[in-house]
Amino acid sequence: MSTGPPNSAPSPIPMRPAAPVGEPESAPRPHPKPGFPTPKLRLEVRDLTHPGALVFFRTTNPATVLSDAVTVVLQTLYIPFKGDSNNIAPTRSITLILRSMEGVAYTTGIDLDDDHKEIHFSLDYITRIPDSSPRRQRDEIEGVVVHEMVHCWQWNALGTAPGGLIEGIADFVRLRAGLSPPHWKKEGGGDWDAGYQHTAYFLDWVESKFGEGSVMRINEHLRNREYDEERFWEDLFDNSVHDLWNEYTRTLGTDEDASGKVSEEQTKTERFSE
């Protein structure tokens, strides 16, 4: 309640003093531009003399590959934020570790703090990449890094999402980045969540059918709730995932005996963790 005289006029709003003659007034503070997190990026090489390390450094700029991978993943899975990035996974650092191991690559959080991620990439696999051209080797290295970088940032329905969907989203981002390897192909039949490129091409079709940003919506829907397959896809696209998969399969003209399974080459050469 006011304590001044009943008929007193309201105090005038204080005005900023005018700038002295000849001096420009200060410009208004700009609104922050939408952006993305900028995690710390690190590289660790366990054996610099390994032939795979020689291939890596001959064909790849580590700083560019890692920063570009962060950018393409965030641009594909998220909308830039203005001051509040709570919808984006809170990854604070990413270390690419090149070492001799079986398989291709996997991603994990460190034991003390899962916001710090490690991408382990096999130097033995890098050695086996066909050396028909430096471009082929570089694209495969960048493609694997992009796939694993998705695992540093994507949501997983509190750990309940199907592994095939998680891996399919990772390969979808790789596909959209123009880094699909020559052996990838669209496959119908089988299960929609067989994972990897099998599911990636299905998600690419979903993106085309329902509009740009559909996979971004899938990722957001995996953020803070457990996965319920029937409700999940109905909420997003008013269809069951099985109806969508059948429709996608029909667009391919797939024969009834199509296996729809991840290719043998993929099974032998790709090892990714969720």
Side-chain angles (χ1 to χ4, degrees):
M1 180 179 295
S2 173
T3 57
N7 296 323
S8 61
S11 300
I13 299 174
M15 301 295 290
R16 184 177 61 183
V21 177
E23 292 187 14
E25 293 195 20
S26 60
R29 294 184 61 184
H31 294 290
K33 294 181 178 180
F36 289 115
T38 53
K40 180 73 71 176
L41 302 176
R42 300 184 177 95
L43 175 67
E44 178 181 331
V45 185
R46 299 281 175 89
D47 183 359
L48 278 171
T49 64
H50 193 290
L54 302 180
V55 173
F56 181 87
F57 287 107
R58 186 177 69 245
T59 61
T60 307
N61 181 321
T64 300
V65 167
L66 285 170
S67 60
D68 285 354
V70 170
T71 298
V72 73
V73 169
L74 293 179
Q75 287 181 343
T76 305
L77 295 184
Y78 295 100
I79 297 174
F81 64 85
K82 286 187 177 182
D84 180 10
S85 60
N86 288 340
N87 69 314
I88 300 178
T91 299
R92 292 189 286 166
S93 74
I94 299 154
T95 303
L96 176 62
I97 300 174
L98 304 178
R99 64 186 183 90
S100 178
M101 67 180 195
E102 295 181 354
V104 179
Y106 69 90
T107 296
T108 185
I110 66 173
D111 292 337
L112 294 178
D113 189 344
D114 194 55
D115 292 348
H116 298 278
K117 305 293 187 182
E118 292 180 346
I119 297 174
H120 293 247
F121 197 169
S122 170
L123 288 171
D124 305 297
Y125 176 75
I126 293 175
T127 304
R128 297 194 303 270
I129 299 172
D131 59 357
S132 54
S133 71
R135 173 66 181 270
R136 172 73 183 92
Q137 293 173 314
R138 185 181 74 240
D139 284 354
E140 180 63 16
I141 290 170
E142 292 181 0
V144 171
V145 171
V146 166
H147 176 109
E148 294 302 328
M149 189 64 73
V150 174
H151 294 326
C152 295
W153 296 99
Q154 70 187 148
W155 297 111
N156 63 6
L158 307 178
T160 66
L165 177 58
I166 294 299
E167 300 297 347
I169 291 173
D171 267 357
F172 165 81
V173 177
R174 178 176 178 174
L175 178 66
R176 283 297 176 109
L179 295 169
S180 57
H183 68 269
W184 279 17
K185 63 179 180 178
K186 296 180 181 180
E187 298 171 315
D191 297 326
W192 72 270
D193 59 350
Y196 300 105
Q197 87 277 7
H198 183 77
T199 302
Y201 280 114
F202 169 59
L203 294 174
D204 191 57
W205 173 83
V206 169
E207 185 92 350
S208 299
K209 178 178 175 64
F210 294 98
E212 200 73 20
S214 294
V215 175
M216 189 183 295
R217 292 167 57 205
I218 290 174
N219 180 62
E220 171 61 22
H221 226 56
L222 293 170
R223 178 160 63 100
N224 54 13
R225 72 195 79 189
E226 293 188 354
Y227 181 83
D228 179 318
E229 184 162 281
E230 182 176 352
R231 182 175 179 181
F232 183 88
W233 294 90
E234 290 281 355
D235 285 350
L236 285 171
F237 306 115
D238 294 323
N239 283 275
S240 74
V241 68
H242 299 290
D243 287 344
L244 293 173
W245 176 251
N246 289 335
E247 183 179 349
Y248 164 70
T249 298
R250 287 194 296 272
T251 68
L252 302 179
T254 304
D255 295 334
E256 291 183 2
D257 62 350
S259 66
K261 297 180 180 179
V262 176
S263 66
E264 183 179 357
E265 180 178 358
Q266 187 90 339
T267 302
K268 288 181 178 178
T269 61
E270 293 193 348
R271 169 177 170 257
F272 299 104
S273 69
E274 296 178 18

